[in-house]
Amino acid sequence: MRRTRTRASFGAHLVAVVLILGTVLPFLWMLVSSFKTPSELNGVDKRLLPSGLFLGNYTKLLDTNFLTYFGNSVIVAAATTIVALLLAILAGYGFARFTFIGNRGMLLVVVAAQMFPAVMLAIPLFITVKNLGLLDSLVGLVVVYVSFALPFCIWLMRNYFLAVPVETEEAALIDGCTRFRALWRVVLPPALPGVMAAAVFTIIQVWEEFLYANTFIDTDSKRTLSVGLNSLIGEFTTDWGRLLAAGVLVMIPVLLIFGYLQRYVTQIAGGGVKG
Amino acid sequence: MSTITSARPETATPGATAARRRRLRARRLEPFAYIAPAFVALAVIIGYPVFNAIGTSFLNASLLRPGQDTFAGLANYSNLFASPTFWTVTARTLVWAGAALVVQVGLGLLIATTLNKRLLARGAIRTTLIVPWVVPTVLVALIWRFLLDPVSGPINSVLRSSGLLDDPPVWLADPTWALPVLVLISAWKWTPFTAVILLAGMQQIPPEQYEAAMVDGASPWQRFFHVTIPSIRTSLALVTLTTISGAINNFNGIWMFTRGGPVGATEILTTYAYRTAFMEFDFGKASAISVVIFVLMMVLAVTYFYVVEGRKGEKR
């Protein structure tokens, strides 16, 4: 039995190496190529690695609105995450601790809301956001993004709260704490991994979102990263150098956030699966 | 987690009855105080637009004639169902979702099974594998459009210089290749995550079950089908449904790569609806298309709820 395990683990390591290469190589190629000179990129000057650290692609990038797109995405992601988490903690707690009329039905709504086709909502949302006077503003995007992040965050928080023993908050209630205070002081700390997972999920969603940001924002200086970068791809299809430099810069915060929060990422999956 | 249900504090706290009764009365309204803020947001931003879209699908509505919508009855639907384009696009959407399912879940299972073995640095491997999932689609589009660039892209230059293909296709601009290439790129982004979810499920399986199966003389295949698969049923149901719904709902990826082209070769229902709304300005027809997507998604949502949550409810 031991022998089969050793053999299996060699094959497994081989598969793992192939998978890692398949995952990492495209990113690595982008990084390396972003330091290539135009003639190296065009294939006029054939070489695998750049001849030196050519920074021209990065300096050229600064002529565009790229840093503004970047800042806009950071602002929208931060605001969305904070608001969505506050609402989701309350609602998740409500679902986890109370049995009430329509409990199951509302939970079904929460699950279903995650699956509404984004394109379907684009037309009426465009009109709603316009009526609220929030067209072409980052606030409008935050309002929409909060609602889109909510269902899954509620679901996740509910599952985490279910795992917190009721006894802890009973003790706090007996000590004269209100239920609301007990939630923040006693119930939330053990469920903090859930909060982090919900935050990761929300940030990833905002960083990713394209359809609404593309439809609701007109002004170039208010574009978010997805839309901004996509417009650059459209504009400069042949200027790969500048685009790859942008790609590297987009990658950096993703890796930083991800490196810090990666252990919560698997819990996002767990939040849906557990039970 | 499964064993913990939403226990009710009163049943566990034998306290002063008056206080308890007072708390019970407050309790009827109390849950709504917690849930209301989130549900108001959901109602305004998701609920209302859904009904609005369904309503618009029965109107002659155009962005070009604001405020002049007229009732159209079922005309949008009958026109849609009579149009061959609609059926081609619907069929392509189902093919696209089916391909995503086969590639992402099939490959995901294979990867998860492999990684479930004893492995050096398993945590690091798992972490690296989910990177494509956290990377925004626009970056995936940037990287792969560069790699597949017909002139300066490394993939075609490798194909050419290695002599494998003298005249490699222009992948994303080639009607035959665009859809399969998009399936593969989308699998590149999503499969690792599928694998990680399935792997998490597999790691919950007690080793004794495998040992018992081995004592009974079960082959690796038998162990896979009789121990692994039944044990990860919930994770499997989840990834199946999220993969299908993600594929049907996909817009960003396709729009950033091909905008549904070349010559409609990658057009699925979402891009079709978007094009109809924001390029042909026919909101009524676009809403009818989105209602079709909506119906497909709701079938999936209800299935998910009863498969995953329904089973939990029975235990309660």
Side-chain angles (χ1 to χ4, degrees):
Chain A
M1 192 157 113
R2 177 152 298 158
R3 207 183 306 139
T4 51
R5 266 207 185 149
T6 329
R7 219 188 310 142
S9 93
F10 173 74
H13 282 99
L14 198 69
V15 173
V17 168
V18 171
L19 287 173
I20 297 271
L21 282 181
T23 308
V24 171
L25 270 184
F27 294 110
L28 224 52
W29 192 255
M30 168 181 74
L31 178 69
V32 166
S33 304
S34 74
F35 295 112
K36 286 184 171 178
T37 61
S39 68
E40 287 168 342
L41 269 174
N42 294 338
V44 177
D45 192 353
K46 278 191 194 299
R47 44 169 88 232
L48 190 63
L49 294 174
S51 50
L53 269 189
F54 175 70
L55 294 177
N57 297 322
Y58 289 87
T59 49
K60 256 193 301 175
L61 184 65
L62 297 179
D63 301 338
T64 68
N65 259 339
F66 179 76
L67 289 181
T68 314
Y69 305 149
F70 205 98
N72 289 342
S73 272
V74 171
I75 293 169
V76 173
T80 305
T81 307
I82 292 169
V83 180
L85 283 182
L86 285 176
L87 296 182
I89 287 169
L90 289 175
Y93 182 79
F95 277 116
R97 285 295 189 264
F98 300 101
T99 317
F100 52 92
I101 302 162
N103 187 336
R104 251 174 104 69
M106 282 167 113
L107 211 53
L108 177 63
V109 168
V110 168
V111 174
Q114 292 175 67
M115 300 176 89
F116 285 134
V119 167
M120 178 189 198
L121 306 183
I123 305 165
L125 265 184
F126 179 82
I127 297 162
T128 308
V129 171
K130 191 177 160 194
N131 290 341
L132 292 171
L134 295 174
L135 214 55
D136 203 24
S137 90
L138 296 182
V139 178
L141 285 186
V142 172
V143 171
V144 173
Y145 291 172
V146 164
S147 305
F148 282 111
L150 265 180
F152 190 78
C153 291
I154 294 175
W155 182 257
L156 203 62
M157 289 319 304
R158 166 189 172 263
N159 287 353
Y160 272 90
F161 287 139
L162 283 178
V164 177
V166 185
E167 289 75 26
T168 51
E169 79 212 73
E170 273 168 20
L173 289 175
I174 288 168
D175 288 347
C177 209
T178 64
R179 185 176 271 281
F180 188 71
R181 262 173 75 92
L183 164 59
W184 300 102
R185 291 287 167 84
V186 187
V187 187
L188 199 55
L192 223 49
V195 177
M196 299 298 264
V200 176
F201 168 80
T202 309
I203 294 170
I204 291 173
Q205 268 213 324
V206 173
W207 218 247
E208 160 86 34
E209 210 287 319
F210 170 78
L211 173 60
Y212 296 104
N214 192 37
T215 318
F216 298 164
I217 301 288
D218 270 339
T219 318
D220 188 49
S221 63
K222 286 181 187 162
R223 280 176 174 167
T224 56
L225 211 47
S226 272
V227 181
L229 191 54
N230 191 59
S231 70
L232 288 181
I233 300 180
E235 259 176 80
F236 310 107
T237 325
T238 44
D239 193 352
W240 280 114
R242 164 150 60 179
L243 283 171
L244 294 169
V248 171
L249 295 184
V250 171
M251 195 64 199
I252 292 170
V254 172
L255 284 184
L256 287 179
I257 296 174
F258 178 67
Y260 180 62
L261 298 174
Q262 62 88 8
R263 66 202 161 108
Y264 302 110
V265 170
T266 39
Q267 294 176 6
I268 296 177
V273 180
K274 274 173 191 161
Chain B
M1 211 176 224
S2 60
T3 52
I4 298 160
T5 56
S6 53
R8 299 137 189 99
E10 303 93 344
T11 56
T13 337
T17 45
R20 205 178 130 195
R21 215 171 292 137
R22 212 179 318 125
R23 239 194 289 151
L24 260 173
R25 215 176 307 127
R27 152 145 308 188
R28 293 222 182 90
L29 287 176
E30 205 184 354
F32 296 102
Y34 288 90
I35 291 164
F39 268 80
V40 169
L42 288 179
V44 175
I45 300 300
I46 299 181
Y48 165 74
V50 169
F51 289 108
N52 190 306
I54 295 172
T56 309
S57 74
F58 297 106
L59 299 177
N60 281 314
S62 167
L63 193 62
L64 304 176
R65 297 177 278 103
Q68 295 177 41
D69 302 345
T70 53
F71 186 67
L74 290 170
N76 286 322
Y77 290 96
S78 56
N79 290 342
L80 199 60
F81 296 154
S83 112
T85 316
F86 169 75
W87 293 108
T88 316
V89 172
T90 306
R92 192 179 296 111
T93 307
L94 297 177
V95 168
W96 160 255
L101 183 68
V102 171
V103 179
Q104 292 171 36
V105 176
L107 216 56
L109 264 176
L110 196 74
I111 295 170
T113 314
T114 314
L115 296 187
N116 197 27
K117 308 258 162 57
R118 267 203 219 156
L119 220 50
L120 292 169
R122 182 159 58 192
I125 293 169
R126 200 172 46 195
T127 305
T128 315
L129 285 184
I130 16 183
V131 171
W133 179 69
V134 289
V135 159
T137 304
V138 69
L139 195 57
V140 175
L142 171 68
I143 291 177
W144 283 97
R145 277 171 68 163
F146 170 61
L147 294 176
L148 291 166
D149 188 281
V151 183
S152 55
I155 290 181
N156 274 8
S157 45
V158 166
L159 286 175
R160 256 186 242 109
S161 60
S162 66
L164 274 177
L165 283 175
D166 290 334
D167 194 13
V170 280
W171 307 110
L172 291 166
D174 185 323
T176 348
W177 285 105
L179 194 66
V181 167
L182 281 189
V183 168
L184 290 180
I185 294 173
S186 151
W188 180 80
K189 181 166 164 63
W190 297 107
T191 308
F193 189 66
T194 311
V196 169
I197 298 179
L198 293 173
L199 180 61
M202 286 180 191
Q203 287 178 345
Q204 313 268 314
I205 306 172
E208 295 80 42
Q209 286 194 20
Y210 286 107
E211 278 154 27
M214 277 167 112
V215 169
D216 292 345
S219 70
W221 278 110
Q222 286 171 326
R223 292 201 297 268
F224 180 73
F225 283 109
H226 296 293
V227 180
T228 311
I229 294 286
S231 310
I232 59 166
R233 216 172 28 211
T234 320
S235 321
L236 206 54
L238 177 83
V239 292
T240 300
L241 285 158
T242 50
T243 303
I244 299 176
S245 65
I248 294 178
N249 245 339
N250 185 304
F251 173 82
N252 295 356
I254 292 191
W255 198 255
M256 286 174 190
F257 273 103
T258 60
R259 294 192 159 215
V263 288
T266 57
E267 187 98 294
I268 64 168
L269 284 170
T270 51
T271 54
Y272 186 41
Y274 190 82
R275 189 182 309 284
T276 308
F278 294 103
M279 292 179 177
E280 291 164 25
F281 307 113
D282 190 340
F283 277 15
K285 183 181 167 196
S287 298
I289 301 169
S290 59
V291 169
V292 173
I293 309 174
F294 173 71
V295 171
L296 285 175
M297 299 303 292
M298 285 309 104
V299 171
L300 288 172
V302 172
T303 313
Y304 171 83
F305 191 75
Y306 283 103
V307 169
V308 177
E309 197 48 27
R311 191 178 300 146
K312 210 189 289 179
E314 283 160 27
K315 270 188 223 152
R316 216 179 267 172

